[in-house]
Amino acid sequence: MTNTNDAARMWHKDYHVDSFGFPATGEELGKLQTVRRLGGSTGADLARAPDGTLFVRKSAGSTTREHLRSECQADAFYRAAGVNVPQFRLYDDQYAPIKLAKYIEDAVSLQSWWNTTSQNEHEAMTAKLRKDLTIDILLGNWDVVGLFADNILIDKSGVPYRIDNGGALEFRAQGAKKTLELWSANGNVDDLWTMTGNGSRIHLYVESTISKYLGQTDVLDMVNEILARQRSWQLEGKDPLSALSPKNRAVVQKRLETIRELANWGNRCDRIAIEHKEERGFILPNDVKLTYVADLTPIQYGNGLDLLCYQDGKDLFSVSQKSWATSRLLYARVNWHDDNKLYKGLLGDMCVDPRIVMMHILAGKLMILSGRARVHWQQAQKEINAVLPTPTLGEAQQWLEKNHFTGENAYLCQDGERYPGWNILFDNYDFEYLTPEIQKLYDKYKRLAQENETQQNQE
């Protein structure tokens, strides 16, 4: 018995296809007929070939030529990495490139599927989608799910397909280019936080649908999974990077280098934390020499507390009361526990390195006073970093215990409300300053602050 498609091929003897069933040439491409518009932010339509085969068709008329080529690079990378993406072909005419992708019949959007299935089915689907989040992050595909969860289709067998990857690599979903900060060979991989549910990007580009459907995961677990995925390619003789342009290949290679560095540091600190019997958080290796910068002003209180510890120009620990972070080396399991609380002391349920806590307390109070003293914050940072010590783990632990910074009195703030520990940054809580240099700077800022307040009262 001859099926419909076979009959169509016999009837249209002048229509030629390649070995994958796509129109063999651009001339054959012109023989497709539009069935209907499919919509989407960049536009697409459903087209039928003379032999009855259905394709999703996109052209440079609905998006830029560079954007369409970038989407095809992303699709090729996904397929080479073993991710379900519809088979496609790019007809790359210099002026009007056209992309054809095989149409998945009887498939529904992820959102439609989700609304008609059980919780157990949701969990199983999240597991399927979650295993390829590694590739989504590597390619910076913020829009992998889509605002209405329609960039992923579920076929009649329950297999998910990523069907619209225009938001990967250097472009955003609707064709605007990402900034150099977010997509360049600088090694920045903020997507490790924003796409795993561990913080919202300050630029707010990442859709919250990712965590809803793909779940949340620990950043350190994710970097290890990405590296394991890369090792599997090498063992299987695959090279997904070859699908990318030289420019995008350089960016992804640099992102992999950063991820490898993160894994090395994170795993090392995890081992040290376990040795210190800390089940959560991290403790830095003893050979790390911290420099501390705190961006605090007296008018911010709890509403904009941004903190940074770094070494040799590399960000080791970064967190904000506004809950976003772009740490490069130590990101930590600590950053997002207990939402919006920076730390809860050495005896609380969020254990962090005593040196970071100690330096935060010292620098934080000095920065608060510098603001009240009307010292420019950049000058204050320079002066504070010049006098801060580099304590050993034992020295920091001893100092914190001596000054009673443990447990309940080590809170900072949450949602702008002051907690008891907030007093550590203000004048009504004094403590030992360790060195004459720190004490001298503290006395200077305190004197200037008092002079300013006296002058304001007189006015």
Side-chain angles (χ1 to χ4, degrees), residues 84-105:
N84 293 321
V85 168
Q87 194 174 23
F88 73 95
R89 176 172 171 177
L90 176 65
Y91 298 82
D92 200 358
D93 179 271
Q94 181 180 358
Y95 301 102
I98 293 175
K99 175 191 175 187
L100 286 188
K102 292 289 182 71
Y103 179 68
I104 306 172
E105 297 193 57

Side-chain angles (χ1 to χ4, degrees), residues 92-151:
D92 200 358
D93 179 271
Q94 181 180 358
Y95 301 102
I98 293 175
K99 175 191 175 187
L100 286 188
K102 292 289 182 71
Y103 179 68
I104 306 172
E105 297 193 57
D106 300 320
V108 297
S109 71
L110 176 60
Q111 184 179 66
S112 297
W113 182 91
W114 201 269
N115 291 339
T116 58
T117 48
S118 68
Q119 180 62 34
N120 287 341
E121 290 172 303
H122 293 172
E123 292 174 2
M125 181 57 66
T126 293
K128 291 180 183 179
L129 295 170
R130 165 68 181 74
K131 70 181 180 66
D132 294 321
L133 180 58
T134 53
I135 311 302
D136 300 325
I137 289 173
L138 199 55
L139 299 182
N141 193 3
W142 311 335
D143 200 45
V144 57
V145 175
L147 184 59
F148 302 106
D150 54 357
N151 286 347

Side-chain angles (χ1 to χ4, degrees), residues 268-329:
R268 183 183 179 198
C269 292
D270 256 16
R271 288 193 294 271
I272 295 171
I274 292 170
E275 289 171 8
H276 284 266
K277 300 181 179 179
E278 304 288 2
E279 295 181 358
R280 302 172 70 177
F282 64 82
I283 294 179
L284 297 175
N286 281 323
D287 58 347
V288 172
K289 305 297 183 183
L290 290 176
T291 304
Y292 189 89
V293 175
D295 182 9
L296 293 167
T297 68
I299 61 171
Q300 284 179 317
Y301 297 120
N303 295 321
L305 189 60
D306 299 332
L307 308 169
L308 172 68
C309 284
Y310 74 97
Q311 179 188 24
D312 299 330
K314 291 185 176 181
D315 182 353
L316 292 178
F317 175 81
S318 174
V319 71
S320 169
Q321 204 269 339
K322 288 291 187 183
S323 70
W324 67 276
T326 57
S327 303
R328 300 292 186 270
L329 292 180

